[in-house]
Amino acid sequence: MAEAPADTSTLPVTVKKKKSLSIEEKIDIINAVESGKKKADIAAEYGIKKNSLSSIMKNKDKVLEAFESLRFDPKRKRLRTAFYTDLEEALMRWYRIAQCLNVPVNGPMLRLKANDFAQKLGHNDFKCSNGWLDRFKSRYGLVFRAQPVEAMGVSVDPSTVWQQNILPYYLNDYQPQNVFNVKETGLLYRMLPTKTFAFKGETCSIGKLCKDRITLAVGANMDGSEKLPLLVIGKNRNPHCFKGIKSLPVDYEANRMAWMTSEVFERWMQRLDEKFQAQQRRVVIFVESFPAHPEVKNLKSIELAFFPSCLSPKFVAMKQGVIKSLKIKYRHCLIKKFLSSVEGSKEFTFSLLDAVDTLHVCWRAVTPETIVKGYEEAGFKSQKEESEETNAEPNAGLDLVTDAQAAGVEFPEGLSIEEYASLDDDLETCEALPSSDAVWAKESESDETGFYASDEEDDGDSLGTEFPLPSKNEAITALDTLKSFLRSQDINDGLHNSLADLEIFMNSLASK
């Protein structure tokens, strides 16, 4: 008896499952194709179809970027990205630094830090749930394991960790032109050589000399191609010498102590962030870990990188000759102006506005080579294989002393121009406690004149003379005189263009 044919509708249907490849396997496939191996053989080896191989090659750049930037676990099979990318980048950076310092991290710590970063970055709708944390760990291949007891007892040199592990992590993400360092320094802007011993050791928090101090925030990028506008912090919001002034060549802030505060820092970073947004740039700014340098919310183009508080100042690039160069140039200009007054038998006056203008000129005169050298001495990896010798900037120190003596002005015995320029380097420049500025703010609100109350008048500008602003016609005549003089010299196209721009600007004013 013949068997009845089997009912094919009841037989199980075998569906061939599509093979998923890890990122690591896709990298191997890309390398194999680019080495010249036949695509048919590669597809057969990995058990995939030819059109799947073509798709991998089409998305080659995305696969390579994911692998090289270590944003994903190489064993992962999909390139699904997160919605809060800035939060995840900050969290991963924090996690890697903790790893470098042998600090054990667990799930609750990671969740706490994620919520902290979310608040600082302005993601008010974010909440670190268990599901989000699991997906985050999966995206980055994080596996928490118990740390061996013997490893926890190993002492780590923070400087070595910083140079070998943490700093390169930032420099891999940013080009040298987008890497900045900012550092504050105190400046006694009217200090002459004959007064140096009176100033030496002065804290400038109270008393007569307080009126002569300002704080500068100095910043430039790693390849020396861009200097941030100087931030000048004085005591008075509206000094007499600023009367009628609508624009300055620097950013100006003021508070009772003439130093950096958390509020001043936040406002400055927001202004810089707007500038870099307009340029469609993403930059990192290295700053020291002070109460006056808080995390700033909602920065879109700036990432703040904080030096660990245990690091030596030698890692701060602006401290490695850049600020010194600025101050030497400034002191040189100050003495030249003083000598000019002595030789002309005139009373020497030097206002805060004079100081601002002089600082702007001197900051422009600091060379890119000085800045690059400062970064190299701070341990920032040079992009060149061999460091080129940089010429020392001339400071004309000996000529300056000779000129002073010829005018009957003596330098204190043994005082060099370098020592003279560095006498105020140890001034306090930042608030000690975040709450202290709130007290100053309340005091300033009660001052109806718009000035901060002080025991001296107007930041010392009583020593100067208030001159009336020149008229438009006087300014145009002065410009004509300047043009006549400069055109008798051998000047470059840049100066000719600047003169033309000035004339265009003056004519536009005159026509109003």
mmCIF file of all heavy atoms in Angstrom, residues 312-352:
data_model
loop_
_atom_site.group_PDB
_atom_site.id
_atom_site.type_symbol
_atom_site.label_atom_id
_atom_site.label_comp_id
_atom_site.label_asym_id
_atom_site.label_seq_id
_atom_site.Cartn_x
_atom_site.Cartn_y
_atom_site.Cartn_z
ATOM 1 N N SER A 312 51.010 70.822 39.298
ATOM 2 C CA SER A 312 51.890 71.985 39.419
ATOM 3 C C SER A 312 51.507 73.040 38.385
ATOM 4 O O SER A 312 51.023 72.706 37.298
ATOM 5 C CB SER A 312 53.341 71.547 39.201
ATOM 6 O OG SER A 312 54.167 72.655 38.948
ATOM 7 N N PRO A 313 51.740 74.339 38.678
ATOM 8 C CA PRO A 313 51.475 75.405 37.691
ATOM 9 C C PRO A 313 52.289 75.262 36.409
ATOM 10 O O PRO A 313 51.997 75.926 35.422
ATOM 11 C CB PRO A 313 51.875 76.681 38.444
ATOM 12 C CG PRO A 313 51.760 76.339 39.887
ATOM 13 C CD PRO A 313 52.139 74.896 39.990
ATOM 14 N N LYS A 314 53.306 74.388 36.423
ATOM 15 C CA LYS A 314 54.132 74.233 35.215
ATOM 16 C C LYS A 314 53.346 73.668 34.047
ATOM 17 O O LYS A 314 53.794 73.721 32.900
ATOM 18 C CB LYS A 314 55.341 73.341 35.502
ATOM 19 C CG LYS A 314 55.012 71.872 35.683
ATOM 20 C CD LYS A 314 56.265 71.043 35.913
ATOM 21 C CE LYS A 314 55.952 69.555 36.008
ATOM 22 N NZ LYS A 314 57.159 68.738 36.232
ATOM 23 N N PHE A 315 52.152 73.121 34.307
ATOM 24 C CA PHE A 315 51.327 72.584 33.231
ATOM 25 C C PHE A 315 50.405 73.650 32.629
ATOM 26 O O PHE A 315 49.669 73.367 31.688
ATOM 27 C CB PHE A 315 50.495 71.400 33.732
ATOM 28 C CG PHE A 315 51.326 70.203 34.104
ATOM 29 C CD1 PHE A 315 51.650 69.946 35.428
ATOM 30 C CD2 PHE A 315 51.815 69.352 33.128
ATOM 31 C CE1 PHE A 315 52.430 68.862 35.780
ATOM 32 C CE2 PHE A 315 52.599 68.253 33.469
ATOM 33 C CZ PHE A 315 52.915 68.012 34.798
ATOM 34 N N VAL A 316 50.419 74.859 33.190
ATOM 35 C CA VAL A 316 49.597 75.958 32.683
ATOM 36 C C VAL A 316 50.413 76.707 31.629
ATOM 37 O O VAL A 316 51.396 77.378 31.947
ATOM 38 C CB VAL A 316 49.179 76.908 33.821
ATOM 39 C CG1 VAL A 316 48.312 78.039 33.276
ATOM 40 C CG2 VAL A 316 48.423 76.134 34.903
ATOM 41 N N ALA A 317 50.000 76.608 30.370
ATOM 42 C CA ALA A 317 50.811 77.124 29.259
ATOM 43 C C ALA A 317 51.052 78.626 29.357
ATOM 44 O O ALA A 317 52.146 79.115 29.055
ATOM 45 C CB ALA A 317 50.135 76.783 27.929
ATOM 46 N N MET A 318 50.034 79.394 29.772
ATOM 47 C CA MET A 318 50.189 80.850 29.837
ATOM 48 C C MET A 318 51.227 81.276 30.874
ATOM 49 O O MET A 318 51.767 82.380 30.795
ATOM 50 C CB MET A 318 48.845 81.527 30.146
ATOM 51 C CG MET A 318 47.770 81.375 29.084
ATOM 52 S SD MET A 318 48.198 82.105 27.474
ATOM 53 C CE MET A 318 48.687 80.640 26.552
ATOM 54 N N LYS A 319 51.521 80.381 31.829
ATOM 55 C CA LYS A 319 52.519 80.696 32.857
ATOM 56 C C LYS A 319 53.937 80.434 32.376
ATOM 57 O O LYS A 319 54.902 80.816 33.041
ATOM 58 C CB LYS A 319 52.262 79.854 34.115
ATOM 59 C CG LYS A 319 51.092 80.316 34.943
ATOM 60 C CD LYS A 319 51.429 81.562 35.756
ATOM 61 C CE LYS A 319 52.365 81.239 36.918
ATOM 62 N NZ LYS A 319 52.676 82.447 37.701
ATOM 63 N N GLN A 320 54.085 79.790 31.233
ATOM 64 C CA GLN A 320 55.417 79.416 30.750
ATOM 65 C C GLN A 320 55.956 80.457 29.765
ATOM 66 O O GLN A 320 56.312 80.139 28.644
ATOM 67 C CB GLN A 320 55.376 78.020 30.112
ATOM 68 C CG GLN A 320 54.666 76.960 30.919
ATOM 69 C CD GLN A 320 55.094 76.936 32.381
ATOM 70 O OE1 GLN A 320 56.290 76.939 32.689
ATOM 71 N NE2 GLN A 320 54.123 76.890 33.284
ATOM 72 N N GLY A 321 55.990 81.712 30.194
ATOM 73 C CA GLY A 321 56.615 82.751 29.389
ATOM 74 C C GLY A 321 55.661 83.697 28.689
ATOM 75 O O GLY A 321 56.067 84.789 28.277
ATOM 76 N N VAL A 322 54.389 83.314 28.529
ATOM 77 C CA VAL A 322 53.446 84.159 27.790
ATOM 78 C C VAL A 322 53.073 85.392 28.616
ATOM 79 O O VAL A 322 53.187 86.532 28.153
ATOM 80 C CB VAL A 322 52.180 83.366 27.400
ATOM 81 C CG1 VAL A 322 51.196 84.271 26.654
ATOM 82 C CG2 VAL A 322 52.552 82.163 26.547
ATOM 83 N N ILE A 323 52.636 85.174 29.852
ATOM 84 C CA ILE A 323 52.280 86.299 30.721
ATOM 85 C C ILE A 323 53.519 87.148 31.020
ATOM 86 O O ILE A 323 53.449 88.382 31.058
ATOM 87 C CB ILE A 323 51.624 85.794 32.024
ATOM 88 C CG1 ILE A 323 50.234 85.229 31.718
ATOM 89 C CG2 ILE A 323 51.545 86.889 33.074
ATOM 90 C CD1 ILE A 323 49.529 84.600 32.902
ATOM 91 N N LYS A 324 54.652 86.493 31.199
ATOM 92 C CA LYS A 324 55.900 87.221 31.449
ATOM 93 C C LYS A 324 56.223 88.149 30.282
ATOM 94 O O LYS A 324 56.593 89.319 30.479
ATOM 95 C CB LYS A 324 57.046 86.233 31.663
ATOM 96 C CG LYS A 324 58.397 86.889 31.872
ATOM 97 C CD LYS A 324 59.487 85.839 32.031
ATOM 98 C CE LYS A 324 60.855 86.491 32.178
ATOM 99 N NZ LYS A 324 61.931 85.469 32.296
ATOM 100 N N SER A 325 56.075 87.665 29.059
ATOM 101 C CA SER A 325 56.340 88.482 27.881
ATOM 102 C C SER A 325 55.411 89.684 27.834
ATOM 103 O O SER A 325 55.834 90.815 27.551
ATOM 104 C CB SER A 325 56.170 87.642 26.609
ATOM 105 O OG SER A 325 56.277 88.432 25.451
ATOM 106 N N LEU A 326 54.132 89.466 28.122
ATOM 107 C CA LEU A 326 53.159 90.557 28.133
ATOM 108 C C LEU A 326 53.533 91.618 29.165
ATOM 109 O O LEU A 326 53.504 92.828 28.877
ATOM 110 C CB LEU A 326 51.763 89.997 28.427
ATOM 111 C CG LEU A 326 50.643 91.018 28.667
ATOM 112 C CD1 LEU A 326 50.419 91.883 27.438
ATOM 113 C CD2 LEU A 326 49.352 90.312 29.081
ATOM 114 N N LYS A 327 53.910 91.159 30.349
ATOM 115 C CA LYS A 327 54.218 92.120 31.422
ATOM 116 C C LYS A 327 55.508 92.893 31.151
ATOM 117 O O LYS A 327 55.604 94.087 31.466
ATOM 118 C CB LYS A 327 54.308 91.388 32.766
ATOM 119 C CG LYS A 327 52.955 91.013 33.346
ATOM 120 C CD LYS A 327 53.094 90.559 34.787
ATOM 121 C CE LYS A 327 51.738 90.379 35.440
ATOM 122 N NZ LYS A 327 51.841 90.042 36.868
ATOM 123 N N ILE A 328 56.503 92.232 30.592
ATOM 124 C CA ILE A 328 57.748 92.932 30.255
ATOM 125 C C ILE A 328 57.464 94.042 29.240
ATOM 126 O O ILE A 328 57.940 95.171 29.374
ATOM 127 C CB ILE A 328 58.802 91.945 29.713
ATOM 128 C CG1 ILE A 328 59.373 91.099 30.857
ATOM 129 C CG2 ILE A 328 59.930 92.679 28.998
ATOM 130 C CD1 ILE A 328 60.355 90.034 30.416
ATOM 131 N N LYS A 329 56.670 93.723 28.236
ATOM 132 C CA LYS A 329 56.335 94.728 27.222
ATOM 133 C C LYS A 329 55.543 95.876 27.853
ATOM 134 O O LYS A 329 55.751 97.057 27.526
ATOM 135 C CB LYS A 329 55.529 94.080 26.091
ATOM 136 C CG LYS A 329 56.317 93.059 25.273
ATOM 137 C CD LYS A 329 55.445 92.414 24.221
ATOM 138 C CE LYS A 329 56.165 91.284 23.525
ATOM 139 N NZ LYS A 329 57.407 91.687 22.864
ATOM 140 N N TYR A 330 54.628 95.526 28.766
ATOM 141 C CA TYR A 330 53.803 96.550 29.399
ATOM 142 C C TYR A 330 54.663 97.471 30.274
ATOM 143 O O TYR A 330 54.539 98.703 30.204
ATOM 144 C CB TYR A 330 52.719 95.887 30.253
ATOM 145 C CG TYR A 330 51.853 96.882 30.989
ATOM 146 C CD1 TYR A 330 50.781 97.500 30.359
ATOM 147 C CD2 TYR A 330 52.122 97.213 32.325
ATOM 148 C CE1 TYR A 330 49.993 98.428 31.028
ATOM 149 C CE2 TYR A 330 51.344 98.140 32.997
ATOM 150 C CZ TYR A 330 50.282 98.747 32.345
ATOM 151 O OH TYR A 330 49.520 99.677 33.002
ATOM 152 N N ARG A 331 55.533 96.900 31.107
ATOM 153 C CA ARG A 331 56.387 97.722 31.974
ATOM 154 C C ARG A 331 57.304 98.620 31.130
ATOM 155 O O ARG A 331 57.585 99.756 31.485
ATOM 156 C CB ARG A 331 57.243 96.828 32.870
ATOM 157 C CG ARG A 331 56.479 95.899 33.782
ATOM 158 C CD ARG A 331 55.817 96.630 34.925
ATOM 159 N NE ARG A 331 55.336 95.682 35.903
ATOM 160 C CZ ARG A 331 54.224 95.825 36.604
ATOM 161 N NH1 ARG A 331 53.480 96.901 36.431
ATOM 162 N NH2 ARG A 331 53.862 94.923 37.481
ATOM 163 N N HIS A 332 57.766 98.059 30.022
ATOM 164 C CA HIS A 332 58.629 98.829 29.129
ATOM 165 C C HIS A 332 57.879 100.068 28.617
ATOM 166 O O HIS A 332 58.410 101.189 28.632
ATOM 167 C CB HIS A 332 59.068 97.943 27.965
ATOM 168 C CG HIS A 332 60.090 98.565 27.073
ATOM 169 N ND1 HIS A 332 59.744 99.343 25.993
ATOM 170 C CD2 HIS A 332 61.448 98.523 27.095
ATOM 171 C CE1 HIS A 332 60.838 99.765 25.380
ATOM 172 N NE2 HIS A 332 61.890 99.278 26.025
ATOM 173 N N CYS A 333 56.617 99.870 28.182
ATOM 174 C CA CYS A 333 55.816 100.994 27.692
ATOM 175 C C CYS A 333 55.518 101.990 28.805
ATOM 176 O O CYS A 333 55.539 103.211 28.582
ATOM 177 C CB CYS A 333 54.498 100.474 27.108
ATOM 178 S SG CYS A 333 54.676 99.629 25.526
ATOM 179 N N LEU A 334 55.247 101.493 30.011
ATOM 180 C CA LEU A 334 54.934 102.368 31.141
ATOM 181 C C LEU A 334 56.116 103.288 31.456
ATOM 182 O O LEU A 334 55.950 104.500 31.649
ATOM 183 C CB LEU A 334 54.573 101.519 32.369
ATOM 184 C CG LEU A 334 54.267 102.289 33.656
ATOM 185 C CD1 LEU A 334 53.034 103.166 33.490
ATOM 186 C CD2 LEU A 334 54.065 101.314 34.821
ATOM 187 N N ILE A 335 57.329 102.714 31.488
ATOM 188 C CA ILE A 335 58.511 103.515 31.800
ATOM 189 C C ILE A 335 58.785 104.523 30.683
ATOM 190 O O ILE A 335 59.163 105.670 30.946
ATOM 191 C CB ILE A 335 59.735 102.607 32.030
ATOM 192 C CG1 ILE A 335 59.503 101.745 33.263
ATOM 193 C CG2 ILE A 335 60.989 103.433 32.214
ATOM 194 C CD1 ILE A 335 60.623 100.764 33.546
ATOM 195 N N LYS A 336 58.592 104.103 29.428
ATOM 196 C CA LYS A 336 58.808 105.022 28.309
ATOM 197 C C LYS A 336 57.880 106.239 28.428
ATOM 198 O O LYS A 336 58.297 107.383 28.188
ATOM 199 C CB LYS A 336 58.570 104.304 26.984
ATOM 200 C CG LYS A 336 59.590 103.225 26.666
ATOM 201 C CD LYS A 336 60.903 103.789 26.183
ATOM 202 C CE LYS A 336 60.842 104.210 24.747
ATOM 203 N NZ LYS A 336 62.168 104.660 24.242
ATOM 204 N N LYS A 337 56.618 105.995 28.803
ATOM 205 C CA LYS A 337 55.684 107.102 28.968
ATOM 206 C C LYS A 337 56.104 107.993 30.141
ATOM 207 O O LYS A 337 55.990 109.230 30.081
ATOM 208 C CB LYS A 337 54.268 106.561 29.186
ATOM 209 C CG LYS A 337 53.657 105.889 27.958
ATOM 210 C CD LYS A 337 52.290 105.312 28.265
ATOM 211 C CE LYS A 337 51.726 104.537 27.088
ATOM 212 N NZ LYS A 337 51.386 105.397 25.942
ATOM 213 N N PHE A 338 56.592 107.362 31.200
ATOM 214 C CA PHE A 338 57.051 108.130 32.364
ATOM 215 C C PHE A 338 58.263 108.987 32.006
ATOM 216 O O PHE A 338 58.330 110.176 32.348
ATOM 217 C CB PHE A 338 57.393 107.165 33.503
ATOM 218 C CG PHE A 338 57.951 107.847 34.728
ATOM 219 C CD1 PHE A 338 57.177 108.723 35.470
ATOM 220 C CD2 PHE A 338 59.254 107.613 35.126
ATOM 221 C CE1 PHE A 338 57.684 109.354 36.600
ATOM 222 C CE2 PHE A 338 59.777 108.240 36.247
ATOM 223 C CZ PHE A 338 58.995 109.108 36.986
ATOM 224 N N LEU A 339 59.220 108.399 31.292
ATOM 225 C CA LEU A 339 60.417 109.140 30.901
ATOM 226 C C LEU A 339 60.071 110.296 29.966
ATOM 227 O O LEU A 339 60.672 111.371 30.027
ATOM 228 C CB LEU A 339 61.425 108.209 30.227
ATOM 229 C CG LEU A 339 62.026 107.103 31.111
ATOM 230 C CD1 LEU A 339 63.000 106.260 30.311
ATOM 231 C CD2 LEU A 339 62.710 107.692 32.329
ATOM 232 N N SER A 340 59.084 110.064 29.102
ATOM 233 C CA SER A 340 58.654 111.125 28.195
ATOM 234 C C SER A 340 58.102 112.321 28.975
ATOM 235 O O SER A 340 58.362 113.484 28.627
ATOM 236 C CB SER A 340 57.595 110.584 27.231
ATOM 237 O OG SER A 340 57.127 111.592 26.378
ATOM 238 N N SER A 341 57.363 112.020 30.053
ATOM 239 C CA SER A 341 56.836 113.098 30.897
ATOM 240 C C SER A 341 57.963 113.836 31.600
ATOM 241 O O SER A 341 57.953 115.073 31.695
ATOM 242 C CB SER A 341 55.860 112.532 31.935
ATOM 243 O OG SER A 341 54.736 111.976 31.314
ATOM 244 N N VAL A 342 58.953 113.091 32.117
ATOM 245 C CA VAL A 342 60.080 113.699 32.825
ATOM 246 C C VAL A 342 60.867 114.602 31.882
ATOM 247 O O VAL A 342 61.212 115.750 32.216
ATOM 248 C CB VAL A 342 60.992 112.612 33.430
ATOM 249 C CG1 VAL A 342 62.284 113.226 33.986
ATOM 250 C CG2 VAL A 342 60.257 111.849 34.522
ATOM 251 N N GLU A 343 61.160 114.095 30.683
ATOM 252 C CA GLU A 343 61.956 114.866 29.726
ATOM 253 C C GLU A 343 61.199 116.101 29.239
ATOM 254 O O GLU A 343 61.804 117.124 28.900
ATOM 255 C CB GLU A 343 62.329 113.978 28.538
ATOM 256 C CG GLU A 343 63.338 112.898 28.910
ATOM 257 C CD GLU A 343 63.487 111.838 27.830
ATOM 258 O OE1 GLU A 343 62.692 111.881 26.859
ATOM 259 O OE2 GLU A 343 64.364 110.966 27.964
ATOM 260 N N GLY A 344 59.867 116.038 29.216
ATOM 261 C CA GLY A 344 59.065 117.177 28.787
ATOM 262 C C GLY A 344 58.638 118.058 29.929
ATOM 263 O O GLY A 344 57.828 118.976 29.729
ATOM 264 N N SER A 345 59.152 117.759 31.140
ATOM 265 C CA SER A 345 58.820 118.532 32.349
ATOM 266 C C SER A 345 57.308 118.611 32.563
ATOM 267 O O SER A 345 56.756 119.663 32.928
ATOM 268 C CB SER A 345 59.402 119.948 32.255
ATOM 269 O OG SER A 345 60.803 119.894 32.122
ATOM 270 N N LYS A 346 56.637 117.497 32.296
ATOM 271 C CA LYS A 346 55.189 117.424 32.486
ATOM 272 C C LYS A 346 54.868 116.491 33.652
ATOM 273 O O LYS A 346 55.645 115.591 33.968
ATOM 274 C CB LYS A 346 54.500 116.900 31.225
ATOM 275 C CG LYS A 346 54.687 117.790 29.998
ATOM 276 C CD LYS A 346 54.020 117.139 28.790
ATOM 277 C CE LYS A 346 54.228 117.977 27.527
ATOM 278 N NZ LYS A 346 53.647 117.319 26.336
ATOM 279 N N GLU A 347 53.704 116.697 34.239
ATOM 280 C CA GLU A 347 53.255 115.799 35.304
ATOM 281 C C GLU A 347 52.884 114.444 34.676
ATOM 282 O O GLU A 347 52.191 114.405 33.650
ATOM 283 C CB GLU A 347 52.046 116.388 36.021
ATOM 284 C CG GLU A 347 51.539 115.507 37.149
ATOM 285 C CD GLU A 347 50.263 116.048 37.784
ATOM 286 O OE1 GLU A 347 49.791 117.122 37.336
ATOM 287 O OE2 GLU A 347 49.754 115.401 38.705
ATOM 288 N N PHE A 348 53.353 113.370 35.274
ATOM 289 C CA PHE A 348 53.059 112.040 34.744
ATOM 290 C C PHE A 348 51.666 111.615 35.163
ATOM 291 O O PHE A 348 51.335 111.574 36.354
ATOM 292 C CB PHE A 348 54.083 111.020 35.240
ATOM 293 C CG PHE A 348 53.766 109.604 34.835
ATOM 294 C CD1 PHE A 348 53.769 109.228 33.505
ATOM 295 C CD2 PHE A 348 53.446 108.641 35.793
ATOM 296 C CE1 PHE A 348 53.482 107.925 33.121
ATOM 297 C CE2 PHE A 348 53.153 107.341 35.430
ATOM 298 C CZ PHE A 348 53.173 106.983 34.091
ATOM 299 N N THR A 349 50.818 111.342 34.176
ATOM 300 C CA THR A 349 49.475 110.822 34.450
ATOM 301 C C THR A 349 49.295 109.529 33.666
ATOM 302 O O THR A 349 49.749 109.418 32.515
ATOM 303 C CB THR A 349 48.386 111.827 34.028
ATOM 304 O OG1 THR A 349 48.499 112.078 32.616
ATOM 305 C CG2 THR A 349 48.529 113.141 34.794
ATOM 306 N N PHE A 350 48.646 108.585 34.300
ATOM 307 C CA PHE A 350 48.438 107.287 33.641
ATOM 308 C C PHE A 350 47.165 106.681 34.217
ATOM 309 O O PHE A 350 47.142 106.180 35.345
ATOM 310 C CB PHE A 350 49.633 106.366 33.889
ATOM 311 C CG PHE A 350 49.698 105.192 32.948
ATOM 312 C CD1 PHE A 350 50.128 105.350 31.633
ATOM 313 C CD2 PHE A 350 49.318 103.925 33.376
ATOM 314 C CE1 PHE A 350 50.184 104.265 30.767
ATOM 315 C CE2 PHE A 350 49.376 102.841 32.515
ATOM 316 C CZ PHE A 350 49.820 103.009 31.210
ATOM 317 N N SER A 351 46.092 106.729 33.446
ATOM 318 C CA SER A 351 44.779 106.267 33.909
ATOM 319 C C SER A 351 44.567 104.791 33.588
ATOM 320 O O SER A 351 45.360 104.160 32.874
ATOM 321 C CB SER A 351 43.680 107.101 33.250
ATOM 322 O OG SER A 351 43.618 106.798 31.857
ATOM 323 N N LEU A 352 43.455 104.285 34.069
ATOM 324 C CA LEU A 352 43.084 102.908 33.749
ATOM 325 C C LEU A 352 42.849 102.749 32.250
ATOM 326 O O LEU A 352 43.162 101.703 31.673
ATOM 327 C CB LEU A 352 41.829 102.513 34.536
ATOM 328 C CG LEU A 352 41.312 101.090 34.343
ATOM 329 C CD1 LEU A 352 42.379 100.051 34.699
ATOM 330 C CD2 LEU A 352 40.052 100.845 35.176
#
